[in-house]
Amino acid sequence: MEGERLTGPPPGALRSPAEAAIPLLFLSAALISQYAGAAFAKTLFPLVGADGVTALRIGLSALFLALIWRPWRARLDRRAIRSVAAYGVMLGAMNFSIYRAMELIPIGIAVAIEVTGPLVVALAGCRRIVDLLWVALAVTGLTILLPIETGPGALDPVGIAWAGAAAGCWALYIVFGKRASVLPAGQAVTWGMLAAALFVAPIGAVNAGAVLLDAEILAIGAAVAVLSSVVPYLLEMLTLRRVSGSVFGLVISGAPAVAALVGFVLLDERLDWTQWTAIGCIVSASAGSTFGGRKETV
């Protein structure tokens, strides 16, 4: 998910179980939308490659968000420019890496490896004994996914490496995103997306060529941008002030499982039981580190 998140519910914001369920449904819908967008993106890989899809997704997302937020209405000082530039470059690199990974390995596995990046950030500096359990679960999941076996069912080691790069980019994205969070959330993510577009669009244009301007490909690219960036971000904006950081993190921790299910339904990506076990370990580690860190309620 792109953009800085404002968490912490105002007192008395939710007064009934039905009201409490609405933001959780919105967050779940945001996850489904994001990975449905990734599934549509995979259909474009044979036509324009992962680099071309990245250029379309980031470029069109930047355009749509700019039209919504019109960030040029507020001037940026030099410090803010440096912050959003670093944030945007890391955002572009993260998307570039994860699409390269998804081109070679199933979506669910790529996302499971990717989320270890923010998991490392969350666990950095922790001193509680229970945190060792989350580390052990994450390491167990990654060990299961490592490309040790060979043969038709083995994962592509290059895809694994790109997913690992995406994890590293996500960790740095969090660090730079905190610096960019001095801006309002809408402005921060829009300027970051524009900076990311300046970084990845030339790479995609060079590698994919003029086919990126084909009307049908542009239409699918627009759908990818809306599903992967615009819809999830808007749904998050509707809910983030109404749920705690712990609850938000707990829902987002399920991203690998959601991605794997979407990949199965839309792309017929079938995972074996060991891969589902690995995803379960990583989801549990992410959820445990998030929910165990703070005692907040919806």
Side-chain angles (χ1 to χ4, degrees):
M1 302 287 182
E2 293 83 4
E4 290 301 298
R5 290 153 176 137
L6 304 174
T7 58
L14 300 177
R15 300 178 181 177
S16 71
E19 287 178 312
I22 290 174
L24 301 183
L25 290 174
F26 279 178
L27 288 176
S28 300
L31 280 180
I32 294 171
S33 177
Q34 183 178 8
Y35 296 117
F40 280 113
K42 287 197 76 163
T43 66
L44 284 179
F45 287 163
L47 302 175
V48 299
D51 298 350
V53 174
T54 305
L56 285 173
R57 184 255 173 105
I58 295 294
L60 293 173
S61 295
L63 175 61
F64 295 150
L65 290 173
L67 292 174
I68 293 171
W69 292 107
R70 293 176 287 174
W72 52 82
R73 293 179 297 176
R75 298 187 61 181
L76 303 181
D77 57 28
R78 291 184 179 180
R79 181 178 180 182
I81 291 173
R82 289 194 297 267
S83 295
V84 297
Y87 167 65
V89 168
M90 203 50 56
L91 172 61
M94 180 174 66
N95 281 273
F96 178 86
S97 300
I98 196 61
Y99 277 155
R100 282 285 188 97
M102 289 178 181
E103 191 174 28
L104 299 170
I105 61 178
I107 290 175
I109 293 176
V111 173
I113 296 171
E114 184 189 30
V115 299
T116 60
L119 179 58
V120 169
V121 173
L123 291 174
C126 289
R127 297 293 183 269
R128 300 173 305 166
I129 297 297
V130 70
D131 292 321
L132 296 177
L133 172 61
W134 315 135
V135 172
L137 279 172
V139 170
T140 299
L142 287 175
T143 301
I144 294 173
L145 292 177
L146 287 177
I148 298 173
E149 299 180 0
T150 59
L155 295 176
D156 190 314
V158 177
I160 294 285
W162 277 115
C169 289
W170 196 346
L172 292 174
Y173 162 86
I174 293 171
V175 174
F176 291 126
K178 288 181 179 179
R179 298 176 186 175
S181 65
V182 294
L183 298 172
Q187 286 192 2
V189 71
T190 304
W191 280 121
M193 196 72 76
L194 289 167
L198 291 176
F199 170 58
V200 301
I203 299 174
V206 169
N207 290 338
V211 70
L212 286 178
L213 301 178
D214 179 84
E216 184 176 353
I217 289 176
L218 279 174
I220 299 175
V224 170
V226 170
L227 288 170
S228 296
S229 296
V230 179
V231 169
Y233 183 67
L234 292 178
L235 286 172
E236 287 179 7
M237 290 292 288
L238 289 173
T239 60
L240 287 177
R241 292 187 182 275
R242 304 180 68 190
V243 297
S244 68
S246 294
V247 173
F248 176 83
L250 190 63
V251 175
I252 298 303
S253 296
V258 174
L261 289 171
V262 169
F264 171 71
V265 172
L266 297 182
L267 299 172
D268 196 31
E269 292 182 342
R270 299 176 182 271
L271 307 183
D272 60 35
W273 69 269
T274 58
Q275 292 168 333
W276 277 110
T277 300
I279 289 174
C281 288
I282 293 171
V283 167
S284 298
S286 181
S289 66
T290 300
F291 195 67
R294 287 178 287 181
K295 300 301 181 182
E296 298 174 287
T297 59
V298 175

